[in-house]
Amino acid sequence: MSVSFMDSFDHYTALAGANGKYASAGLSSAIVSGPQRTGTACLQVISAAFGPYRAIPPTTDVLIASAYYMSGGTPAWCYELGNSGANAGSSGIAGLYINGDGSLAAGQPWFPGPAKLFASTVPGLFQFNSYNMLGFRVTGFHTLNTRFRIWCNGVLVLDQSGFDTKTGAAGPDFCNGFELFGAGGNATTCYHDDLYVLDCTSAPNNNYLGALRIYASVPVANGAVAWTPLAGTNWQNVDTIPPTGTPYNSSVTPGQVDQYLHPLPGAVPSNSTLFAVQHCQDLQAVGGSRSVTSDIAGVPNAGAVALSLGFLIDTWPYDINPATEAPWLASDFPLLAGPAVTA
């Protein structure tokens, strides 16, 4: 599995906690309507640079990319990669930095001491007051030979290796989390949209995929309904934007699946190249202990999650269609997808 996570910021509003996707929301950040690049919303990071943090499966070679908008020449960290977000103990081994002259730099935001920059591009690459398509790949964490690659607006603008990210202190040699940033103190003009994160140790999606557009699709009809309330209204209970947790559909029986019909979003041309699909489900355990997974067209995902008592959006990325074991096609939609109880 090479796609670790993606986000359009279009189908929910709480970044963390109930009905959120992130472990922490940052000091001051929010999903807002405008100036989005794709869909109806984007992420705004509005204070002290700290945005939302999320864990990802551990990897030694990771790429993070998004459309990023910032006005003025305020320097800013754009991404932090490491073992925890800065708001959760700080272990940012690598990060992408935007200089005031429009150059981009790779460095260490926080760990294990003052921030420092290793390698920079020429000035003027980042265009302020508009969306820039950024990609940042780091190969090797906490080593003497870290390799940094930076893409800006479709062009590989930096590819250098041999950097010491150990800095003489003990630390993890992998990445299992990322945090999104904005310019400290710049209260209205730092935005992310169309975010994706790749584990580049495995194919097929293991290098920069370009300026992608990521769209959200909500259910429009029932599939093979097995969960209560069983009255033909299941899909209408889970098509709310943003998700609210009520009404909901539920089951306590392992093996039961509740499928919904997801259309291809209207803005996606039928001849589009679809690199991946991510199934997002807003889930909680009503009582006791339950584990749930994603089911695509009758194929359950092996990655079941144990549910907590509070709602949280869990995600299952798919590089290929599990039903066909082939790359995704527009003809795969409308797609049958839903939760399956595993235990």
Side-chain angles (χ1 to χ4, degrees):
M1 188 66 67
S2 47
V3 174
S4 294
F5 178 70
M6 65 179 80
D7 205 342
S8 65
F9 303 105
D10 291 325
H11 64 97
Y12 68 107
T13 56
L15 285 165
N19 307 302
K21 285 187 177 181
Y22 294 84
S24 64
L27 296 183
S28 187
S29 53
I31 295 176
V32 299
S33 296
Q36 66 273 6
R37 174 178 176 266
T38 301
T40 59
C42 58
L43 170 69
Q44 182 183 44
V45 184
I46 58 179
S47 177
F50 299 109
Y53 164 76
R54 181 182 172 91
I56 57 173
T59 178
T60 57
D61 191 352
V62 64
L63 185 146
I64 184 169
S66 72
Y68 189 70
Y69 179 111
M70 185 173 72
S71 68
T74 305
W77 289 101
C78 184
Y79 313 116
E80 179 190 79
L81 299 169
N83 276 83
S84 66
N87 296 324
S90 186
S91 185
I93 301 174
L96 176 65
Y97 190 77
I98 303 169
N99 288 299
D101 61 3
S103 61
L104 303 168
Q108 283 185 307
W110 313 107
F111 175 77
K116 62 180 179 179
L117 303 180
F118 291 114
S120 297
T121 70
V122 298
L125 295 179
F126 186 90
Q127 302 300 304
F128 296 98
N129 296 299
S130 65
Y131 270 113
N132 292 253
M133 307 311 303
L134 300 180
F136 181 52
R137 181 175 175 181
V138 181
T139 306
F141 284 81
H142 199 71
T143 74
L144 299 176
N145 191 30
T146 297
R147 180 182 180 184
F148 296 113
R149 276 164 278 193
I150 299 173
W151 288 261
C152 183
N153 296 322
V155 178
L156 179 64
V157 295
L158 185 143
D159 184 353
Q160 295 183 29
S161 59
F163 296 101
D164 177 5
T165 54
K166 290 180 70 69
T167 57
D173 59 0
F174 57 87
C175 171
N176 70 354
F178 70 89
E179 188 161 16
L180 304 176
F181 281 69
N186 193 337
T188 60
T189 54
C190 293
Y191 303 94
H192 288 269
D193 203 0
D194 297 321
L195 165 76
Y196 60 94
V197 182
L198 308 179
D199 179 353
C200 297
T201 64
S202 62
N205 295 315
N206 57 1
N207 204 357
Y208 184 58
L209 300 178
L212 303 190
R213 293 184 180 272
I214 299 171
Y215 293 90
S217 172
V218 297
V220 296
N222 285 334
V225 176
W227 288 18
T228 56
L230 304 178
T233 62
N234 285 31
W235 73 272
Q236 294 171 313
N237 291 338
V238 294
D239 68 340
T240 305
I241 298 178
T244 61
T246 55
Y248 59 87
N249 304 318
S250 64
S251 173
V252 296
T253 305
Q256 281 198 341
V257 180
D258 192 11
Q259 287 190 327
Y260 318 112
L261 199 66
H262 290 262
L264 190 71
V268 180
S270 59
N271 61 348
S272 297
T273 298
L274 305 182
F275 288 99
V277 169
Q278 180 174 265
H279 188 200
C280 303
Q281 301 187 97
D282 196 30
L283 302 165
Q284 77 163 346
V286 176
S289 176
R290 287 288 178 268
S291 292
V292 176
T293 193
S294 161
D295 184 291
I296 301 291
V299 181
N301 192 295
V305 298
L307 301 184
S308 65
L309 293 179
F311 276 100
L312 186 69
I313 299 177
D314 286 292
T315 59
W316 287 263
Y318 293 89
D319 295 285
I320 62 174
N321 185 336
T324 64
E325 298 185 347
W328 288 98
L329 301 172
S331 58
D332 293 334
F333 293 83
L335 181 70
L336 281 174
V341 182
T342 61

